[in-house]
Amino acid sequence: MPDESPLPLPIIEDFEDVGPLVGILIGSESDREAIEPAGVELDERGISWELRVLSAHRDPRAVAEYASTAALRGTRVLIAGAGMAAALPGVVAAYTDLPVIGVPLTSSKSVMGGLDALLSIAQMPPGVPVACVSVNGARNAAILAAKILAQGGGYPGTPGRPTAEL
Ligand code: RP5
């Protein structure tokens, strides 16, 4: 039996910054205004978050990298908002075991006010779940993220719950 030493963990050492509890992704700069209520809600609850603009269609490698490393940075929930053929939440879910909350967004090019994005996010195939809130339901996505974080230890600032150590 060869002497196999444990694998090093260079990936973790590569991350200089600890991630926030919630990562918010949007598919385009044009989605920024629609997703803003999520950040407002998380701020009011004292939950750390970050926003990245990454398109599943235009920049799939960056989406894969972000999603596949989010848990290593300490992030616990991902919110992904996109419009039109809204692949972003599903692609993110394909690259992580973290819970993913999809937010269908309307855009100037939407079909039926965002029905295209709603179906794209809600109709995930079996085995790759994405939670789907209402069209433009960014605030609800944040509230759902807070409820998820409140399970199994809570998050910093939650009354009656221990402070989570990252
Ligand atoms: C989606 O296409 C984005 O999420 C956005 O809602 C929509 C339109 O994007 P832009 O053409 O405005 O960048 O990928």
Side-chain angles (χ1 to χ4, degrees), residues 105-120:
L105 300 176
T106 53
S107 80
S108 58
K109 304 151 204 149
S110 290
V111 171
M112 298 181 75
L115 182 61
D116 43 8
L118 176 65
L119 294 176
S120 297

Side-chain angles (χ1 to χ4, degrees), residues 26-31 55-58 81-88 105-110:
I26 47 176
S28 168
E29 272 295 338
S30 65
D31 297 324
S55 168
H57 297 112
R58 296 164 175 157
M84 302 182 74
L88 185 60
L105 300 176
T106 53
S107 80
S108 58
K109 304 151 204 149
S110 290

